[in-house]
Amino acid sequence: MKTPSQMSEESMQRMEARIPELAGSAVKRAYLQALTTSGKVIEARNGQLIETTAEGTVRVIRSIAKPVAVTMGAKRVRARQA
């Protein structure tokens, strides 16, 4: 079994710099695959929950609550409904 060769810092930084590009293409591929297999995709866009179909129809399902800023380490408890 071969032992892995050492990678230079420069080549490691080049590879790490490609992570956002690779992640973006993976998300796009997953989006298109979901449209192909199920015929629709639901995503959050501009504060709304949106359904997009393979035919290109876009439907707003509902508005999404605005995000709440939480400080690191804080604990939040959802209020119980009566």
Side-chain angles (χ1 to χ4, degrees):
M1 189 152 96
K2 258 186 173 176
T3 57
S5 60
Q6 290 293 325
M7 186 180 292
S8 72
E9 184 66 26
E10 181 184 336
S11 62
M12 190 180 309
Q13 286 180 355
R14 268 187 279 142
M15 289 176 68
E16 287 177 350
R18 292 197 57 214
I19 291 174
E21 173 192 342
L22 295 170
S25 63
V27 168
K28 186 172 184 171
R29 248 190 340 263
Y31 178 89
L32 294 173
Q33 183 179 5
L35 276 178
T36 303
T37 47
S38 70
K40 61 184 166 183
V41 172
I42 296 177
E43 62 184 318
R45 213 186 311 159
N46 299 326
Q48 295 180 320
L49 202 57
I50 306 285
E51 177 187 69
T52 306
T53 65
E55 292 81 31
T57 309
V58 177
R59 178 176 70 102
V60 176
I61 297 173
R62 69 182 189 117
S63 292
I64 302 173
K66 293 184 179 177
V68 177
V70 179
T71 58
M72 195 154 114
K75 293 184 180 179
R76 298 197 38 96
V77 179
R78 186 178 294 211
R80 294 185 184 259
Q81 293 180 353

